[in-house]
Amino acid sequence: MVKKILFVCLGNICRSPAAEAVFKQKIKERDLEKLFVVDSAGTGGWHVGNLADPRMRETALSRGIELTSRSRKIEENDLYEFDHILVMDHDNLDAVRLLIKDHKNTVNSKIKLILSYSKNSQLEEVPDPYYGGQNGFDKVIDLLDDAMDGFIDSLMD
Ligand code: 4NP
């Protein structure tokens, strides 16, 4: 069965496109591409249609990861379409949960903080790098790289 995975942040131009690309690279390395549909989205719509932020693209590319996705805004339907929704911070979690209109639905259980799968970090959130310096972009990739191994391992159980 194909599993559908959606990564979510605020603008969908820094953290979640990086998460999407890191995930895609790791499943490619493990020859698992056929098992997944992968996408990313933002809770805000300011950058819809845009490629990822050039700073995020350059940082990822320096690690051999290419970001090609274009920003889109998450829709209520995504909550039912995707099997796993991985968000970057608590604000994203609140914003995504606000989209749930039918509270009888069990959709809540598949929305998680990506860093809940971290193996080596105690952080709960991937810090937003947008208004900061280069360190923030490097940190995004480091945190995602670590958490993604844990997430993929959990999918294989
Ligand atoms: P992201 O970063 O949520 O990781 O894509 C941001 C991108 C843009 C903005 C904020 C955060 N913004 O305010 O435009």
Side-chain angles (χ1 to χ4, degrees), residues 9-17 46-47 92 128-131:
C9 62
L10 176 59
N12 192 212
I13 55 166
C14 296
R15 294 164 294 173
S16 62
W46 312 283
H47 302 281
N92 305 152
D128 185 346
Y130 190 67
Y131 293 107

